[in-house]
Amino acid sequence: MGHKSDKKLIVNGKRADGRELDQMRPIEMQIGLVNRANGSALVKFGDTHAIAAAYGPRELMPRHKQEADRGIIRTRYNMAPFSVDDRKAPGSDRRSTELSKVIRLALHPVVFVQDFPKATVDVYIEILQADGSTRVTGINAASLAMAAAGVPMTDLVTACSAGKIDGKLVSDLNGIEDNFGEADLGYAMIPSKNMVTLLQMDGALTKEELVTLLNMAKESCKKIYEMEMKVLKEKYEKALE
Ligand code: ADP
């Protein structure tokens, strides 16, 4: 983000990949592909693909890390070395440490941690392909994986990005838009409570632009929520057959 460039991100009112300004990329969601996990999900926003695997609630070891009256949530965000054009150095770095933390904070408010004292829910998020907005794609995958694992939750957390490119406000930034745009916003919410659990911004926006973008993000999140509820229902309807 923020690099000066002649790159045209909007041509004749449409984005370089053919999208309308408020259009998200094609979204796909799938549940239950990691056999060993208690719950898992694959979420694709265009060429950004995130897989999440949730384990637990399970006893937290070592014991001295346990909380007597509640459980904890641990998250790990990891970008696969092959997820970007130039191979990324494997392992954690400052960025992945930050993202693991903000993702955990974004998910925590929906979880009934009092229901599993001394235990942990561990959520691993692997970015298989990165083309912008990986943290929000990862949050959607993690939330679905936790729901599929049967973690006690009040609701899902849904997430999306929005930003400003070539002076226009747009939904769901891809990698080029994120890199060469003027501003980007990462947003997560609890739809049933209308509560925001992640809000990060990079770049410059006026107050009016920020308000518009927040509304755009909320609209996108509502659409994502419907899709997520649909895949979850399908899974459980199948299980009941
Ligand atoms: P987010 O993926 O949540 O938008 P960033 O703003 O940090 O988070 O990253 C934007 C995009 O930049 C990523 O989605 C990815 O396409 C690209 N990117 C991030 N880190 C790397 C990296 N180490 N190597 C190559 N591309 C990267």
Side-chain angles (χ1 to χ4, degrees):
M1 214 266 358
H3 306 277
K4 288 262 174 273
S5 147
D6 306 334
K7 210 179 259 298
K8 273 251 164 261
L9 298 173
I10 297 183
V11 182
N12 299 330
K14 289 208 175 180
R15 292 152 77 174
D17 60 5
R19 278 188 288 160
E20 303 292 340
L21 301 181
D22 64 351
Q23 192 180 351
M24 289 185 281
R25 290 172 287 181
I27 297 175
E28 283 177 43
M29 299 173 181
Q30 208 181 320
I31 282 179
L33 9 71
V34 180
N35 271 348
R36 303 250 181 255
N38 296 113
S40 60
L42 171 67
V43 174
K44 299 182 182 175
F45 276 38
D47 286 333
T48 292
H49 299 181
I51 196 164
Y55 296 79
R58 60 185 179 185
E59 190 180 9
L60 177 59
M61 287 296 183
R63 285 224 173 87
H64 71 263
K65 290 200 168 164
Q66 294 179 356
E67 299 285 347
D69 56 347
R70 63 192 152 87
I72 66 161
I73 302 165
R74 297 188 293 193
T75 49
R76 191 190 72 178
Y77 165 100
N78 183 54
M79 228 170 158
F82 52 80
S83 66
V84 288
D85 278 343
D86 299 317
R87 175 180 173 279
K88 180 201 164 284
S92 70
D93 48 28
R94 281 177 52 149
R95 178 175 174 274
S96 66
T97 305
E98 178 211 329
L99 295 197
S100 299
K101 180 179 179 185
V102 297
I103 290 172
R104 176 169 55 79
L105 295 177
L107 296 169
H108 197 277
V110 294
V111 181
F112 288 107
V113 285
Q114 301 86 343
D115 285 6
F116 50 95
K118 301 181 181 175
T120 177
V121 168
D122 296 326
V123 190
Y124 299 92
I125 297 150
E126 297 289 325
I127 306 302
L128 304 178
Q129 275 184 214
D131 185 28
S133 309
T134 64
R135 78 193 65 198
V136 292
T137 310
I139 289 172
N140 290 320
S143 165
L144 275 177
M146 286 162 66
V151 173
M153 291 155 74
T154 48
D155 195 6
L156 294 167
V157 175
T158 60
C160 64
S161 71
K164 184 178 175 186
I165 59 169
D166 284 359
K168 301 275 190 225
L169 303 181
V170 299
S171 303
D172 184 26
L173 299 179
N174 65 26
I176 294 172
E177 293 172 339
D178 188 299
N179 257 303
F180 299 102
E182 288 114 83
D184 65 77
L185 201 80
Y187 182 92
M189 70 181 295
I190 307 171
S192 63
K193 295 195 172 166
N194 213 9
M195 184 177 145
V196 176
T197 66
L198 172 86
L199 182 53
Q200 292 186 297
M201 195 184 109
D202 199 356
L205 293 170
T206 65
K207 191 173 157 192
E208 288 72 25
E209 285 172 338
L210 177 61
V211 170
T212 306
L213 270 191
L214 288 172
N215 282 322
M216 286 170 72
K218 196 194 260 187
E219 284 308 308
S220 300
C221 275
K222 279 189 195 155
K223 289 182 195 152
I224 296 163
Y225 187 53
E226 280 169 24
M227 290 181 223
E228 291 181 340
M229 285 305 218
K230 192 161 163 264
V231 287
L232 274 174
K233 274 188 191 141
E234 277 168 9
K235 175 189 147 85
Y236 289 110
E237 273 162 12
K238 267 207 193 105
L240 291 171
E241 271 168 15

